Amino acid sequence: MKTFIHKTSTKLLLLFVAVVLVASCKKNENDNLGPQRLFKASDISISAGQTSAKLKWAVPLFAAGKPLTYTVDFSTDQTFATIAYTKVVDTAGITVTDDNISVRVPYYARIKANAYADQPESKYVISSSFTLTGIQLFENPVRESEIRETSVTLRFAADATLSSIKVTPEGGTAITVALTSTDITAKLKNITGLTGNVKYTAELFAGTKSKGILTFTTLPVTTYSVKLSPGDDLAAAITSAANGAVIGLNPGTYNLTTLTTFITGKTITLKSTSGTPSDTKINFKEFDLEGTGAGITFSGLELDGTTGAALYFLNLIGSQANNASAATFTNIVVDNCIVHAATTAFLRADRGSAARDFKITGITVNNSIVYDMGANGSSNYYTFHLNKLEFTTLTISKSTFYNAGPGLVTASTTYAGATIPVVNISYSTFNGFGGNAKYALLDANANPISFSLQNSIVANTPKSGTVNAAAIRSSGAGSTSVFSYNNTFGLYNALTGNVALTFPATVTQTGNIAIDLGWTAATTTFALPVGSPVRTASSTSIALGDPRWTY
C-alpha cells in the first residue's frame, strides 16, 4: 500500500513540475519575443530599376492607425557591419535612389519597427539582395578599330549633364578624365596614356552619378622589326624581311604599283603604326603568296589597287616559275583594313594542278571594308575563289562587302580532305554584289563543307547580269549550311524579269527577317535607321550586320 502511494505521489510531482516548466517557457517566450514581434515588419517585396528601388513590407493588422515608424538600413553585406544609407519612415515602404546608394552594387535592407508607447523596438527583418541596374549611356560596345595599344575612343549618348569618365585598369589605379562641352557634343572621348594588353573598366559620370559602364582590353604592344615612312622603299623592306617580321608603316602613302609584290616562303605583317586605315595607304598591283610557308597579315591599312590596275588583291602561287606547283601556305589575315579596286577577285587560290595541291590553315577578314572587286559582278572569279584549295577555316566577321564580286565563296572542286572546311560569316554587311550566273553566297557543289552565315545583312543581287536562282549550292556528304538571324532584301536572280533567290531545304534557317532598308545596289554607306528592328534582331539581341554602321 505504501509502495502504491509513493508511486502515485511521484507521478503527480513529475506532472506538476512539467506543467510549471511549460508555463515558464511560454512566459519567457512572451517576455523575450512578444513585444518585439508586436509591430515587426514581414514579407518584404522589392522592385528595383535603373536608378531606384521600391521596398514594401507587411505589418500586423493591429498596427493599423497607430503612428508607427520604421528604421531602414542599407548595406552591401548581410552582417550590416557598415551602413551605406539609413532612413526612418512612417509608412510600410520606402523608395531608395541612386542619390542614396550606388548603382550596379548588390545591397541588402534591414527593417525594424521603432519603439512605440509601451512597446520596445522590434527585431530586424532582412531583405533579399537587390541592385540598381543603372543608366547605360554607353550605347554600344567599343568599336574594335578604336581600341589601340595605349588609347581608346569611347562613344556615348548625348547628355548635357555628363562630366567625366573614370577608367580603371584591372588590379590598378583609376584615372578620371574630364569631359568638355566639345566631347559631349561629339558624343565621344579619346583617352590616351593607357597600357597595352590590359583589361579596363570605363564608367561614365554626371557628377557623382554613374551613367554607364563597359569594359575593353587594349591591344598587345607591337614589336616592329622595322618602321618605315613615306618615301622609304617598302618593296625592298618586304623582300629583305625575315620570316615573322612586322613592318610598321607610319602615316602616309606607299606605292607598290610597278611590279607584283611576292611574299616568298615566309609570313610577314604589314601594319600601320597609327592603327587608322584612313591615314596609311598602300597603292598595290598585286600581293602574291609564293610557296610553302608563305602568309601575310594586313592591319590598319587602306589597300588600293586603282593606280596599279590590280587584277587580284591576293593571289596564291606555287612559284613564279610554276604557279601550279604544290605549296602549303600559313595564314592570311586582313584586320581593320579598307581594301578596294581589283578587277578579278579579292583572293584567288585555285592555281594548284590538282585538288589539295594548295593547302592553308586559316583565312580571316575582320573589321574591314572590301569594295569594287570583280568588275561589277562580271568577273569569272568569286570574291573568295578557293576551288581546289584545302583550307581549314574561312572567317569573315564585323566587315562590309559591297560591289565585291559575282559571288561570295566558291570551293566547288570535290576532294577528300583531312577535315571538312569551315566557312563562318557573322555580323557582316553585304550589298550590291553578284553576277555572271554565279551562286550569290556559296558554291561548294558536291564538296563537303560547313557553311554558316548569321547575324548579318545581305542585300541587292545581282550587281550585273544574273545569278543562280539558288543562293547556295552545297550537296556534299557531311555538309551543313546555316543561314540564320539575317536581314535580307532585294535578293533576285536578275536585274529585270527577276525572281527571288531561294535556299535549298537542307539549309537551316532561323530568325531571319526581311526589312527593306532603302539601299540600292549603288549604296556605299549603310547606317542603320534609329529605332529599326534590325538594331536588335541578332541572336544576341544586338544589331545585325557590321557593327560600324550602328554608330
Side-chain angles (χ1 to χ4, degrees), residues 46 74-77 84-85 100-103 105-109 127-132:
I46 304 172
F74 296 87
S75 179
T76 56
D77 69 275
Y85 176 66
N100 316 127
I101 61 175
S102 299
V103 299
V105 176
Y107 283 91
Y108 298 89
S127 75
S128 58
S129 175
F130 70 95
T131 303
L132 304 184

Side-chain angles (χ1 to χ4, degrees), residues 26-41 60 62 113-116 118-123:
K26 288 184 176 180
K27 184 175 184 302
N28 288 340
E29 181 180 282
N30 291 334
D31 287 346
N32 294 334
L33 302 177
Q36 295 192 18
R37 286 179 173 172
L38 196 55
F39 305 123
K40 184 180 179 182
F62 51 76
N114 295 322
Y116 169 71
D118 61 344
Q119 298 298 322
E121 65 181 24
S122 74
K123 290 185 175 181

Side-chain angles (χ1 to χ4, degrees), residues 441 451-454 458 472 481-488 491 503 507-510 512:
L441 299 180
F451 179 83
S452 173
L453 198 164
Q454 300 192 73
V458 186
I472 291 173
S481 295
V482 176
F483 188 83
S484 294
Y485 296 99
N486 299 306
N487 183 52
T488 62
L491 299 184
F503 290 84
V507 177
T508 300
Q509 297 190 69
T510 304
N512 293 314

Side-chain angles (χ1 to χ4, degrees), residues 1-12:
M1 183 67 176
K2 289 182 179 180
T3 300
F4 173 76
I5 293 173
H6 176 71
K7 289 182 178 179
T8 301
S9 299
T10 300
K11 289 180 179 179
L12 289 173

Side-chain angles (χ1 to χ4, degrees), residues 240-262:
S240 62
N243 185 45
V246 180
I247 300 173
L249 303 179
N250 291 321
T253 299
Y254 300 80
N255 290 301
L256 296 173
T257 57
T258 303
L259 299 171
T260 295
T261 300
F262 293 97

Side-chain angles (χ1 to χ4, degrees), residues 149-359:
E149 297 173 7
T150 59
S151 67
V152 67
T153 296
L154 301 176
R155 296 174 180 267
F156 42 83
D159 186 331
T161 67
L162 296 176
S163 58
S164 64
I165 299 176
K166 183 171 72 174
V167 182
T168 307
E170 192 170 58
T173 303
I175 60 171
T176 298
V177 180
L179 294 176
T180 66
S181 58
T182 302
D183 299 330
I184 294 169
T185 300
K187 299 188 292 186
L188 61 85
K189 182 68 174 180
N190 181 252
I191 297 173
T192 60
L194 306 181
T195 302
N197 203 28
V198 170
K199 183 178 180 179
Y200 285 85
T201 298
E203 192 165 10
L204 188 62
F205 284 92
T208 59
K209 290 186 177 181
S210 175
K211 295 292 184 176
I213 194 167
L214 54 72
T215 61
F216 63 91
T217 301
T218 50
L219 298 179
V221 175
T222 302
T223 300
Y224 293 99
S225 306
V226 64
K227 288 185 181 181
L228 304 181
S229 295
D232 292 336
D233 192 339
L234 175 57
I238 291 172
T239 300
S240 62
N243 185 45
V246 180
I247 300 173
L249 303 179
N250 291 321
T253 299
Y254 300 80
N255 290 301
L256 296 173
T257 57
T258 303
L259 299 171
T260 295
T261 300
F262 293 97
I263 315 298
T264 304
K266 62 189 177 186
T267 299
I268 66 170
T269 296
L270 299 178
K271 181 177 183 179
S272 69
T273 58
S274 69
T276 304
S278 60
D279 70 19
T280 309
K281 181 177 180 178
I282 299 175
N283 292 315
F284 69 91
K285 183 175 183 64
E286 184 173 303
F287 290 95
D288 280 21
L289 300 188
E290 180 186 2
T292 294
I296 194 163
T297 293
F298 299 95
S299 179
L301 299 166
E302 179 182 357
L303 298 131
D304 183 356
T306 305
T307 303
L311 294 178
Y312 306 97
F313 170 51
L314 286 164
N315 187 16
L316 274 58
I317 63 173
S319 70
Q320 294 179 54
N322 180 5
N323 284 184
S325 60
T328 299
F329 305 95
T330 55
N331 294 293
I332 294 170
V333 177
V334 180
D335 181 66
N336 186 27
C337 288
I338 302 169
V339 187
H340 57 106
T343 58
T344 304
F346 176 81
L347 169 61
R348 180 179 178 181
D350 70 337
R351 293 184 181 274
S353 294
R356 300 185 66 196
D357 276 355
F358 281 6
K359 298 178 176 64

Side-chain angles (χ1 to χ4, degrees), residues 300-515:
L301 299 166
E302 179 182 357
L303 298 131
D304 183 356
T306 305
T307 303
L311 294 178
Y312 306 97
F313 170 51
L314 286 164
N315 187 16
L316 274 58
I317 63 173
S319 70
Q320 294 179 54
N322 180 5
N323 284 184
S325 60
T328 299
F329 305 95
T330 55
N331 294 293
I332 294 170
V333 177
V334 180
D335 181 66
N336 186 27
C337 288
I338 302 169
V339 187
H340 57 106
T343 58
T344 304
F346 176 81
L347 169 61
R348 180 179 178 181
D350 70 337
R351 293 184 181 274
S353 294
R356 300 185 66 196
D357 276 355
F358 281 6
K359 298 178 176 64
I360 195 168
T361 301
I363 302 165
T364 301
V365 178
N366 178 61
N367 190 33
S368 295
I369 297 176
V370 177
Y371 66 96
D372 290 353
M373 298 277 170
N376 293 314
S378 65
S379 173
N380 284 322
Y381 292 83
Y382 283 66
T383 305
F384 293 88
H385 204 86
L386 311 182
N387 295 343
K388 298 191 290 186
L389 175 70
E390 180 180 311
F391 66 98
T392 304
T393 58
L394 166 61
T395 303
I396 303 170
S397 58
K398 301 176 183 177
S399 295
T400 296
F401 288 72
Y402 64 91
N403 188 22
L408 185 56
V409 179
T410 181
S412 62
T413 302
T414 304
Y415 65 81
T419 60
I420 294 177
V422 175
V423 177
N424 190 357
I425 304 169
S426 63
Y427 292 102
S428 293
T429 298
F430 303 89
N431 185 73
F433 66 104
N436 205 11
K438 306 299 185 185
Y439 290 85
L441 299 180
L442 171 69
D443 182 12
N445 199 1
N447 195 40
I449 197 166
S450 173
F451 179 83
S452 173
L453 198 164
Q454 300 192 73
N455 298 310
S456 298
I457 301 173
V458 186
N460 294 315
T461 60
K463 178 68 174 176
S464 65
T466 65
V467 291
N468 196 286
I472 291 173
R473 179 168 70 160
S474 178
S475 60
S479 291
T480 58
S481 295
V482 176
F483 188 83
S484 294
Y485 296 99
N486 299 306
N487 183 52
T488 62
F489 60 95
L491 299 184
Y492 298 103
N493 75 319
L495 294 173
T496 59
N498 51 44
V499 295
L501 298 189
T502 60
F503 290 84
T506 53
V507 177
T508 300
Q509 297 190 69
T510 304
N512 293 314
I513 58 175
I515 297 176

